[in-house]
Amino acid sequence: MNDFIEYLKQISEKWRKEWERAKLHEADVDESKPKFFITAAFPYPNSPAHLGHSRTYSITDAYARYKRMSGYNVLFPMGFHYTGTPVIAMTERLKQAFECLKKLGFEDKDFVEKVWQAKGSSTIKDGIRRVMEAEGKVDEECVEPLELLVLFAKVFELPIEDLRKITDPLAMANYFSSITEESMKQMGYMIDWRRKFTTVDPDFQKFITWQFLKLKELGYIERGTHPVAWDPVYNTPVSQHDTKGDVEPEIEDYDVILFKVGDLYLPAATLRAETVFGATNVWLNPDVEYEIVEVNGKKWVLSPKAAYKIKYQKDDVKSLGKISAKELIGKMALNPATGKEIPILPAKFVDPNVATGVVMSVPAHAPFDYVALMDLKQDPQFKDLVERIEIIPVIEVPGLEEPAAIKVVKEMGIKSQEEKEKLEQATKEVYSLEYRKGRMREDVIEKIAYGKETKAALKVLLAKKPVPDARELTAEWLKAFDMGDVFYEIKNGPVYSRFGNEVVVKVLKDQWFINYGDPEWKRLARKALAQMKIIPERFRKSFEDTIEWLQRRACARTRGLGTPLPWDKRWVIESLSDSTIYMAFYTVDHILRSNNVKAEQLEPEVWDYILLGKGDAKALSEKYGIPENVLKEARRSFDYWYPVDSRHSGMDLIRNHLTFFIFNHAAIFPEDKWPRQIVVNGFVTLEGKKMSKSLGNIIPITIAVKKYSPDVVRLTVLYSAEIGSNADVSTEIIERVINNLRSVKELVEMVKGFDVEKPESLPTLDAWLLSSFVRDVEEVTKAMDELKIREATNILYFVTLNRIREYLETLKASGRELDQSAKWVLRYIVERWVKMMMPFTPFFAEEMWHLLGKETFLINEPWPIAEKELLDPIAEASKRFVERVIEDIMEILKVAKIEKPKKVRIEVAPKESYEMLKMAVEYIEQGKGMREFMSEAVKTFGKSKAKELRETFQRALGLDEVTRQAILKGGLDEKKVLEEFKKYIEEKVGAPVEISEYSGGKKKPSAMKVAIYVE
RNA sequence: GCCGGGGUGCCCGAGCCUGGCCAAAGGGGGCGGGCUUAAGACCCGCUGGCGUAGGCCUGCGUGGGUUCAAAUCCCACCCCCGGCACCA
């Protein structure tokens, strides 16, 4: 096995050189051919590319190669995404790692080795902790940065000397992009590397500048106040690609309701403002030292965490000191909604880390509150207070007598607030029930302490209203008289930025946004999507939902590499915003660069000309000093290659990048330049497990290639799963792939010397093989058109291979040699078969092609055509028929317990039986039923045959399509076929076989169903 | 609750779009045999039940339906997974 892998690696290096020398992957404008522009999402060079990347790129490449062989002029380019936090955060962590080593006095290589040993089968972090403990140098802050160092050194096998050199972003990006580029070349991707660029190249930045000026001109850029997820240390907004674990931070707004106590306010945070009418008390966590903070001129009591968070959300926040919860508990607070005084009580379930750390208590509708109150009844200090509390139901649900919270708590048998899990489940139930079916009770309003006018107004607004409406109204009403406010919280928190800091919500005053919420823009995006092909189609809905869901999106950062915002250079355009139409850049950059066009010359007007065809080349040439022909060539190139015909990426990018891609194209380009197709693929898992940094089970492409060869890696990821689902790479599949490639090679070596004329006619066996192969060609082609790559590879590397093996075995068992016919058929098939392997295992296919004596580059050969005239349903049906006869004989032997048969006699049906069957098939093919068939057939064959006719029709119904075709074409001469395969049958059955016409025995054969006698 | 995916034999997993070569590909595991001093690798056979003649029965989440014929099409339901909504 190792020898074979060595062989595969060797041929891959050989052909890589040959291809590069021949500039085989460079694509230029060629008006004589239809073009196909295919792109895959470019990577962030913050680590070397791994198997997960290789899936997207291998799919893209296989498709590119298929299209090229199908007659298209195919352009497949690649670049590198240097922008933003992904790269910079990695350098920060690496820097920290080296500082940690120094601080803790570890020697780098020695440390890494020790960790790797200590790790065992657990996580890298555990390994680090073990080593730290063993050496008595524990520093939790250092665990994470050091994890990265170990990952790079051991999993990615990068020399530590190299790592020391790449602690600034540009150096790191350059280093990893060159490794990734090399691995892509090793994998044989058909990339036109002349067009490579990075997102910090000056000319690219000018292109992005143009794009943003366009967006601004169109009114899609806004400046405004908006809550954003924020790294409080690095002072920069964060989104999915800026967080650890790529979590999109979600912002949730709590309504804050101010309960007055003396000159202080308790800001209770709630998601259910409408229940304030049923608030019976306010909860504080008795163990927390609260802080008094001045917000908008009022003194709010907040948990320490909330006091910290609110500084990012409000102006003029002043800390005024501390107050322990105990000082407030027992006092009365004013419920602003009802005008009634309610007590402040202690509750441990109140989490000071969530929202304000102050909660209002609505026992009728919140299980936590209800249970906490019941608990308090046991407390002598609060017993009296609690017993005076009257539970006030605010919401009614049809069919429910009791308030929902109480009912659910009773049903679930919850006894104390310690039963957190149960309570959370109860809460879920109550809320979803009341949200969907609940309405505000009329009597709620009666109980409030305000005057007639207020009551009347509230009654009109709230009584009998559905919960969602009432919620909004209540919150608005409270805000209107300064008793309500908003507090933002990270909903899926805690979320950490890539720098390692806990993300907070910041209300940004002058942030720049792209407004994907613009209705006109949304309309264009919908239209663009509607015209686009989405593969697999079932993801279309996700795109539609994302288009609807997208709103304003912060598009600038204060940190990281990238293009400054053209009108406000303090900001850098963030990574998901500068990568939406960059495919256009590939169509022209090598032209501009090879003609020495400088970034300074690439002013917006120039881009207007190149990308939109606006303006006059001659005038622009004079103005900016770019030769006119260069401008024209760039314009022509863009116009030729654009739009993008197929865009490839992983499915995690649907909700951001891919949808932004649609939006931005729709905004900037005319309709005929909108993308044509998006192809989305799933992830790669290893032996059923997600690849993860912490486990260190990531396989970089470079290492996989070293271990298994490029073709094996490619075929494995391509074959593992169909495009839309996750692909599991396992040694099991890898081994099968290797074995099959080896078998293919053996066949090619056998066939390479076959050089014979096409024979006059083919034996049935050969005609069967040939015909089946033609069907394979047809199916593989169809599968590739639909990007069913698993299906295509399955047919080629497994089905076809097995059939050829079967053919050879049958040939041998029939006592035939590799005669002219066999040689011709095998040669015919193997040549085309090898061709079709080009998209999936290009190096291997190329080598096989040349083994066959060919001298052209296979990628320049046309994709095989399924030659329909070679289809032979009679041969296919005959082969099946023979197999069926053998099966039947074996079955008889088994059932009759005959171990060593002396002789097998087969009798075939008389002609008449065939005529009946043919007639039956004709009727079935015309969609006619048994009744029609019988009435006509009885006339032809006579009434005495009625029973046989009925049976024939039944049998015909069960026949497969190919056999039916064969019968319509005249059917098979069963006797002849059996004679032809006699030796083979004898070999299989282990006894001499005798074939004859029906001789009137007790078993009556019929068409396609022989009579068998075993002696 | 909404949207999407899924439930297949001891296990994994294809098939379902386009109904019939489907007792259901391919693996894995198990059993038996070959090769070998032996193990491993490799090769062959068996692996739902019954059956002394190629047959019958049961079967692809559950229950119905369409059809000459359903794993495949339609309806309803149950369960699992992902996303969203919702939830102190």
Side-chain angles (χ1 to χ4, degrees), chain A residues 372-500:
Chain A
L373 271 184
M374 295 300 110
D375 278 358
L376 267 192
K377 271 193 185 169
Q378 315 304 320
D379 188 327
Q381 193 189 338
F382 299 103
K383 192 167 179 283
D384 289 349
L385 257 178
V386 175
E387 275 178 352
R388 262 183 280 141
I389 286 176
E390 179 205 356
I391 292 178
I392 311 163
V394 193
I395 296 161
E396 58 193 7
V397 176
L400 270 193
E401 299 290 321
E402 262 180 313
I406 299 170
K407 181 170 176 273
V408 171
V409 166
K410 281 186 187 161
E411 272 175 10
M412 294 181 63
I414 301 170
K415 296 269 157 25
S416 122
Q417 55 183 312
E418 305 297 325
E419 296 175 69
K420 284 218 159 148
E421 247 168 62
K422 276 189 176 178
L423 275 168
E424 258 153 42
Q425 200 195 326
T427 303
K428 237 178 183 165
E429 240 169 76
V430 171
Y431 289 179
S432 94
L433 182 71
E434 291 184 340
Y435 184 79
R436 277 180 291 123
K437 296 191 180 152
R439 283 173 183 276
M440 299 299 281
R441 287 168 64 126
E442 221 167 340
D443 58 358
V444 171
I445 318 295
E446 305 302 330
K447 292 179 184 161
I448 69 179
Y450 292 124
K452 226 163 96 185
E453 293 81 1
T454 313
K455 276 191 185 175
L458 283 177
K459 190 160 185 168
V460 171
L461 287 172
L462 291 177
K464 295 279 174 196
K465 289 288 184 301
V467 164
D469 301 354
R471 179 170 305 168
E472 210 181 316
L473 278 164
T474 308
E476 287 307 315
W477 172 64
L478 289 166
K479 276 181 213 158
F481 66 97
D482 283 339
M483 281 300 159
D485 213 312
V486 183
F487 188 92
Y488 297 104
E489 185 59 282
I490 301 285
K491 175 176 155 184
N492 49 344
V495 171
Y496 297 90
S497 75
R498 289 199 181 212
F499 302 108

Side-chain angles (χ1 to χ4, degrees), chain A residues 107-125:
Chain A
E107 200 276 314
D108 51 19
K109 279 178 200 156
D110 176 59
F111 174 76
V112 165
E113 291 306 323
K114 276 187 190 153
V115 169
W116 199 246
Q117 273 190 5
K119 172 187 173 279
S121 61
S122 59
T123 63
I124 296 176
K125 281 186 183 171

Side-chain angles (χ1 to χ4, degrees), chain A residues 222-226 507-513 552:
Chain A
E222 282 183 3
R223 187 175 215 197
T225 300
H226 198 66
V507 175
L508 260 192
K509 281 278 160 59
D510 51 1
Q511 169 68 321
W512 292 99
F513 297 95
R552 297 210 292 181

Side-chain angles (χ1 to χ4, degrees), chain A residues 586-634:
Chain A
Y586 289 127
T587 66
V588 297
D589 65 335
H590 73 299
I591 295 172
L592 300 174
R593 288 175 183 192
S594 62
N595 284 290
N596 257 320
V597 177
K598 298 276 170 284
E600 307 85 80
Q601 296 169 291
L602 293 167
E603 289 301 309
E605 275 184 299
V606 176
W607 290 113
D608 276 345
Y609 173 76
I610 295 175
L611 301 175
L612 300 174
K614 282 187 193 160
D616 174 57
K618 198 165 171 230
L620 287 168
S621 168
E622 281 163 17
K623 189 166 172 191
Y624 295 104
I626 304 169
E628 192 181 335
N629 67 317
V630 173
L631 284 173
K632 283 190 166 155
E633 195 189 336

Side-chain angles (χ1 to χ4, degrees), chain A residues 863-927:
Chain A
W863 186 256
I865 293 163
E867 294 178 82
K868 294 261 166 68
E869 61 277 15
L870 297 177
L871 284 176
D872 189 339
I874 294 181
E876 290 186 60
S878 300
K879 177 74 167 46
R880 272 175 211 176
F881 167 71
V882 170
E883 294 300 336
R884 171 77 202 186
V885 170
I886 293 170
E887 260 172 52
D888 281 349
I889 295 170
M890 301 302 275
E891 176 90 3
I892 292 168
L893 294 180
K894 190 178 142 202
V895 176
K897 300 209 165 75
I898 303 170
E899 291 201 355
K900 289 201 175 122
K902 285 192 221 57
K903 195 168 92 181
V904 176
R905 264 192 316 119
I906 303 172
E907 289 186 355
V908 299
K911 277 252 154 52
E912 193 187 47
S913 177
Y914 249 93
E915 281 154 26
M916 290 180 187
L917 187 64
K918 188 173 178 194
M919 184 168 171
V921 171
E922 277 165 2
Y923 271 68
I924 291 164
E925 290 287 301
Q926 288 162 29

Side-chain angles (χ1 to χ4, degrees), chain A residues 740-763:
Chain A
N740 285 17
L741 287 179
R742 195 195 291 118
S743 303
V744 174
K745 184 183 171 232
E746 281 161 13
L747 281 171
V748 169
E749 278 179 334
M750 181 183 95
V751 165
K752 71 183 178 195
F754 295 175
D755 184 18
V756 292
E757 292 287 300
K758 183 176 180 183
E760 291 284 302
S761 68
L762 295 174

